[in-house]
Amino acid sequence: MDFQLTEDQEALRDGVRSFCEGRVSIDALRELEKTGFDRELWGELAEMGVFSLRQSEDAGGVGLGSADAVLVFEELGRCLAPGPVTWSHLAADLVDGAATGECVVGGIDLSRTNSDPLLIEHLEHIDALLVLRPDGIERIDPKALSGRAIERPLDPFTPVHEVAELPAGERLGDAEAAARFRLEGAALASGMLLGIAEASQELATDYAKKREQFGRPIGGFQALKHKLADCYTRQELARAAAYAAGATLDDPEVGDVLRAVSTAKVLTGDAAMENARACVQIHGGMGYTWEVPAHYYLKRIWVLENQFGTVGEHAERVAERIAVGD
């Protein structure tokens, strides 16, 4: 596969990055932490085509593919874009108003059977809730749910409610549609994890160049050089995997889609987590405070690692595909 970006893809990436740097800065997120959600920002993301990106032009969308979507979600990950952006993007053809941002769509993945509590993200801000089950996709009215707000959610930009049970919802898709939804969601989450891996590495490198100790930048010491080189290597390996997942979704003839997406989730999850931890360590004592954005990255990684299949589940799938020779 050729992962060199085309001129159009570079323009798409640069346009989204420019928007994010101006509109979703860390300072803006600190303000957003007080309110939890910004409808105006959501509308601007919709106008930019984030939610209609892969919707066909006949349906009013942009008509791009999964490879392009991974690029866009890489930038959304870099800036820690708030809100259920992945669910709303995936729901563009399922829920009226999702593509235009008029309907904010959240979701919960119940594809695997376990005894975990039912945690709904952004419950107070969504207009529709999608439930992924092994046998299909359902839509539930969030207003029909009552839940207990978690006082201190792991990610300050991802408010969470615990609900006791979910009522039966309107059926929107069968088991095949649910499996496809989950697969595409994992690829987009991988794109966001890649963006965080990059942002963490760049934040750590920038600090290592500026912070001086013993009369010289700390980045000049060999121990930190090696740590930052490892961050960059992990990031580029993750990039290849994330881009391959998007390209394989667009053209399944070029490879094994399940293996490509699961590999991307594993490698981007590892790169994001290790780079964020390195970023905290390189910042020293200051790195353990909220003053440094590294903590925001770390919290979001824990959320993304568990969306659309955990990193452990995807690692098991890769092993299974290798074992059967696919």
Side-chain angles (χ1 to χ4, degrees):
M1 295 183 189
D2 181 3
F3 291 140
Q4 294 296 319
L5 302 186
T6 65
E7 289 186 7
D8 287 344
Q9 287 175 325
E10 288 182 353
L12 175 67
R13 179 199 60 192
D14 294 345
V16 177
R17 181 173 297 186
S18 176
F19 171 84
C20 290
E21 289 175 349
R23 191 66 176 83
V24 201
S25 65
I26 288 296
D27 289 339
L29 288 174
R30 292 187 199 280
E31 285 298 313
L32 185 63
E33 193 175 342
K34 301 171 186 174
T35 58
F37 190 74
D38 185 346
R39 281 269 178 181
E40 184 178 342
L41 172 61
W42 196 260
E44 292 172 18
L45 288 170
E47 286 180 12
M48 219 169 37
V50 167
F51 309 124
S52 61
L53 194 71
R54 292 185 305 139
Q55 196 176 34
S56 70
E57 294 183 76
D58 291 342
V62 183
L64 297 180
S66 294
D68 304 300
V70 168
L71 287 177
V72 169
F73 275 73
E74 179 184 343
E75 297 306 318
L76 297 177
R78 285 176 62 96
C79 74
L80 299 174
V85 288
T86 307
W87 286 93
S88 288
H89 171 97
L90 293 169
D93 285 324
L94 289 178
V95 178
D96 290 342
T100 59
E102 297 169 81
C103 181
V104 181
V105 182
I108 182 170
D109 183 2
L110 300 180
S111 299
R112 62 183 188 276
T113 304
N114 57 44
S115 58
D116 292 346
L118 294 172
L119 299 176
I120 310 294
E121 299 172 357
H122 304 284
L123 180 61
E124 292 181 331
H125 308 119
I126 57 177
D127 304 303
L129 175 70
L130 297 186
V131 182
L132 285 191
R133 299 186 188 278
D135 62 346
I137 307 173
E138 292 179 355
R139 174 180 176 170
I140 292 175
D141 183 356
K143 295 183 178 60
L145 302 176
S146 62
R148 178 180 64 88
I150 303 301
E151 188 175 349
R152 290 187 179 180
L154 183 62
D155 174 8
F157 308 121
T158 308
V160 176
H161 280 69
E162 180 180 0
V163 300
E165 59 182 0
L166 295 173
E170 175 191 1
R171 191 174 176 83
L172 298 182
D174 58 13
E176 185 178 347
R180 179 75 183 182
F181 197 104
R182 198 172 190 237
L183 193 64
E184 293 175 349
L188 298 179
S190 298
M192 298 186 86
L193 286 165
L194 169 61
I196 295 176
E198 292 171 345
S200 299
Q201 179 270 124
E202 290 169 6
L203 180 65
T205 302
D206 186 56
Y207 182 75
K209 288 179 179 176
K210 294 176 180 174
R211 175 78 166 92
E212 292 191 359
Q213 192 65 270
F214 306 114
R216 56 187 289 197
I218 61 173
F221 296 109
Q222 194 172 44
L224 265 64
K225 281 183 181 177
H226 286 181
K227 188 177 285 293
L228 290 168
D230 288 343
C231 288
Y232 185 78
T233 303
R234 279 192 295 266
Q235 162 193 312
E236 293 308 299
L237 183 62
R239 183 191 310 284
Y243 289 3
T248 310
L249 277 167
D250 286 336
D251 185 3
E253 295 295 322
V254 301
D256 179 346
V257 178
L258 294 178
R259 182 170 165 177
V261 172
S262 289
T263 300
K265 191 75 192 290
V266 173
L267 292 180
T268 57
D270 175 69
M273 181 59 75
E274 293 304 318
N275 284 13
R277 285 175 170 165
C279 186
V280 170
Q281 188 177 4
I282 287 171
H283 278 81
M286 193 171 68
Y288 289 86
T289 71
W290 286 104
E291 184 180 347
V292 178
H295 268 281
Y296 290 114
Y297 296 136
L298 203 57
K299 308 298 184 187
R300 181 62 62 86
I301 292 165
W302 274 317
V303 172
L304 292 171
E305 271 194 334
N306 289 284
Q307 286 187 346
F308 305 105
T310 65
V311 169
E313 289 171 340
H314 283 284
E316 287 183 11
R317 174 184 283 173
V318 173
E320 291 169 359
R321 306 298 287 183
I322 292 174
V324 298
D326 285 339

